[in-house]
Structure formats: structure tokens, C-alpha cells
Amino acid sequence: MKLNSIVKTKKHKKRVGRGIGSGKGKTSGRGVKGQKSRSGVAIKSFEGGQMPLYRRLPKRGFKTIKNKEKYAIINLSKIQKLIDNKIISADSKIDLNLLKTNKLIKKNITKFKILGMGDVVSKVNLDTNLLSKTAKNKLIKSGSTFISKSNS
């Protein structure tokens, strides 16, 4: 059996500043003068000349993107559903202004993109900013006409 497990030992706190004979008297082991000898001073993140951790790690966070264009994303299935519910007609030109006037997208949106999820049965006339490849193929198959201002 170990002696420490039987006898409970209590280690006393070092009492500094109690005379020269204690070994921690006068300056209490803090040396003479300087910043570190004063009370309440800790040099934060100082690692003895080594590059501090906060400078070794990369910067994180974000920068706000001013004047970012807001896109509305609409699937072909949604367009077909709107035509079936007679909210928009298949004969009319479907563009950003039409969607805004019918309150299908928010006012602050500047561009919209058509994605190819679902199918379009009726022939539609689309004027969009962006058009996915699958949507393009499905629109060609349905015999629809479309104008895409940029290719994606």
C-alpha cells in the first residue's frame, strides 16, 4: 500500500513576503522592478518571443458584400403550376416584371434563374437572366421560346 493513500496530505499555499528566511521574502520571487513585478499585471498572449497563437492562425470572419445582386430561383414545375392555376397565362411573356407585379417574387430581386426541376407541358415565352442546361433542354423539347441574357 502506498503511504499517500492512507495519510491524507494537505499542501499549504506558498506564503510570499514573510521575511528573507522564507526564501520568498522582500520581492516575493518577482525580481526587481519592471512590469512583471507589479501586481495585477499579466502580459496577455505573450509567448516569450514566439509568434503568438492569435497571429499564427488565419483570419476568420466575413466582409459584407455591398450592392450584391439578389436572384430568384424558379423551377419549371413552379412555372407549370402557375399556368395551371391561371395565375399567369402561357401566352404572355414571363419576365421579372410580370413576376413582381403578380407578387410571386420580392421587389428587391434584380435577376432570376430558371432551373430544370419538373416539366413544362404548355409552350411558354420566357425572358430570364440565367437558365440552367436541363431547363434549356426541356424548354426546347416543349417548343417554348426563351431569351437568356447570360449563359450558365
Side-chain angles (χ1 to χ4, degrees):
M1 289 178 71
K2 291 183 181 177
L3 189 64
N4 288 348
S5 61
I6 297 167
V7 182
K8 292 185 178 180
T9 56
K10 184 178 179 186
K11 194 170 184 181
H12 292 286
K13 187 182 166 208
K14 222 176 252 177
R15 295 181 71 212
V16 293
R18 294 293 184 272
I20 296 164
S22 68
K24 292 283 181 209
K26 192 184 168 234
T27 53
S28 306
R30 289 176 175 261
V32 184
K33 295 185 183 177
Q35 185 181 10
K36 290 182 186 175
S37 70
R38 316 289 185 217
S39 66
V41 175
I43 302 170
K44 289 186 174 64
S45 73
F46 184 72
E47 297 182 20
Q50 176 176 297
M51 185 62 70
L53 183 68
Y54 73 91
R55 287 183 63 196
R56 275 181 275 162
L57 298 174
K59 289 181 184 177
R60 302 237 7 218
F62 70 97
K63 291 182 180 180
T64 54
I65 302 165
K66 293 178 181 174
N67 304 324
K68 184 183 175 186
E69 291 179 329
K70 293 189 167 85
Y71 286 88
I73 295 169
I74 301 168
N75 280 306
L76 290 173
S77 59
K78 174 97 176 188
I79 292 170
Q80 187 58 49
K81 195 182 282 183
L82 291 170
I83 293 167
D84 293 341
N85 295 338
K86 295 180 180 165
I87 296 167
I88 55 175
S89 65
D91 305 330
S92 64
K93 182 177 163 186
I94 301 167
D95 62 346
L96 194 67
N97 293 332
L98 180 81
L99 297 172
K100 280 184 183 179
T101 52
N102 289 334
K103 295 182 181 175
L104 300 169
I105 57 173
K106 292 180 181 177
K107 287 185 221 173
N108 62 349
I109 288 171
T110 54
K111 293 182 178 184
F112 82 104
K113 181 174 183 173
I114 304 290
L115 298 181
M117 189 177 231
D119 289 312
V120 176
V121 180
S122 52
K123 291 182 180 180
V124 289
N125 183 9
L126 283 168
D127 184 8
T128 91
N129 298 93
L130 298 163
L131 193 67
S132 70
K133 287 179 183 176
T134 52
K136 196 175 191 178
N137 294 336
K138 287 180 181 181
L139 288 169
I140 291 167
K141 282 181 185 176
S142 69
S144 301
T145 56
F146 56 88
I147 300 165
S148 179
K149 286 158 181 129
S150 68
N151 297 333
S152 77

